[in-house]
Amino acid sequence: MRTAPTGPTDAELAAIIERRRSTGADLFDEVWEGDYHMAPAPHPAHGQLDQQLAEHLGPRARAVGLVGTGPFNLGATGDYRVPDRSLHRAPPRETFVSTAALVVEIVSPDDESWAKLGFYAAREVDEVLIVDPSVCSVTWLARSGGGYGPITRSEVLALEVAELHDALEWPGER
C-alpha cells in the first residue's frame, strides 16, 4: 500500500517522519526523487529468507573478496533506495553508498522491488537478485545496456540461479 498524505502540513509530516526515525520504524523507508516512501517492517517469511540468503551467499562472497551487508542506503540524500541485502567490492564507510556489486530484494506484499530496477541500473549495480516467497521464485538479473536482463548464472558469485533456488527452504515447506 502506497501512502500519499494529502492533509497534513509539512510540519506534521516532518513530525511523523521524525517519530518513525526515533523509534526505528523507518528502517526500510526510502526517498524517491524527493518523495518519501514509508515501508512497514516485512513479513516474517521475508526475514527467514533473508537469513538463509546471508548464510548461503556469505561464504561465496568472502571467497571472491566481496563484503556483505543487510539493509543500507543506496544513492544520495533526497534520492535513495534500501535493498534488503547487498554485496560490495569494499566495505561501505558512508551512510549513502553510490553502488554495489549485487543487491537483493525480497518481495513483500505491495512492495516496490521491481520498480527499483531503473534506479539500480543508473547507479551501475552489476546484479540484482529478486526473491519472491509468495511464488517461491528466484530471479537474477545482470546489468545490460541501460537496464537488466535475466541470467541463469551470477558472474559476481559464480553461482547458478537454480542452485540457490534449490538451497532455500521456502516458507510453508516445513
Side-chain angles (χ1 to χ4, degrees):
M1 172 176 65
R2 187 171 294 148
T3 302
T6 58
T9 65
D10 287 345
E12 290 169 325
L13 284 174
I16 291 168
I17 291 169
E18 180 53 37
R19 187 168 46 252
R20 289 179 63 77
R21 185 174 295 120
S22 70
T23 63
D26 68 334
L27 179 62
F28 295 99
D29 291 358
E30 300 174 333
V31 178
W32 294 37
E33 298 175 0
D35 292 334
Y36 197 88
H37 291 231
M38 293 181 193
H43 187 279
H46 181 284
Q48 293 167 353
L49 283 171
D50 183 53
Q51 178 65 31
Q52 292 179 64
L53 289 165
E55 292 170 3
H56 194 75
L57 301 179
R60 289 177 177 276
R62 288 187 295 280
V64 296
L66 297 174
V67 177
T69 72
F72 75 105
N73 301 309
L74 177 67
T77 304
D79 194 17
Y80 61 91
R81 310 298 181 269
V82 182
D84 295 304
R85 182 153 297 287
S86 65
L87 298 176
H88 303 268
R89 290 186 171 75
R93 301 285 186 223
E94 55 279 332
T95 300
F96 294 94
V97 179
S98 62
T99 193
L102 170 80
V103 297
V104 177
E105 290 284 348
I106 303 170
V107 177
S108 293
D110 300 320
D111 84 0
E112 299 174 291
S113 295
W114 290 96
K116 298 178 187 183
L117 293 178
F119 181 87
Y120 292 154
R123 274 132 199 95
E124 299 182 347
V125 173
D126 295 324
E127 294 180 0
V128 178
L129 173 59
I130 300 179
V131 179
D132 189 339
S134 70
V135 294
C136 302
S137 72
V138 173
T139 304
W140 214 309
L141 306 165
R143 195 160 45 97
S144 175
Y148 289 95
I151 57 175
T152 59
R153 177 179 170 78
S154 166
E155 292 301 318
V156 169
L157 291 176
L159 174 64
E160 298 290 331
V161 176
E163 179 184 343
L164 177 62
H165 179 278
D166 293 346
L168 296 174
E169 183 178 304
W170 296 95
E173 282 188 342
R174 287 187 187 209

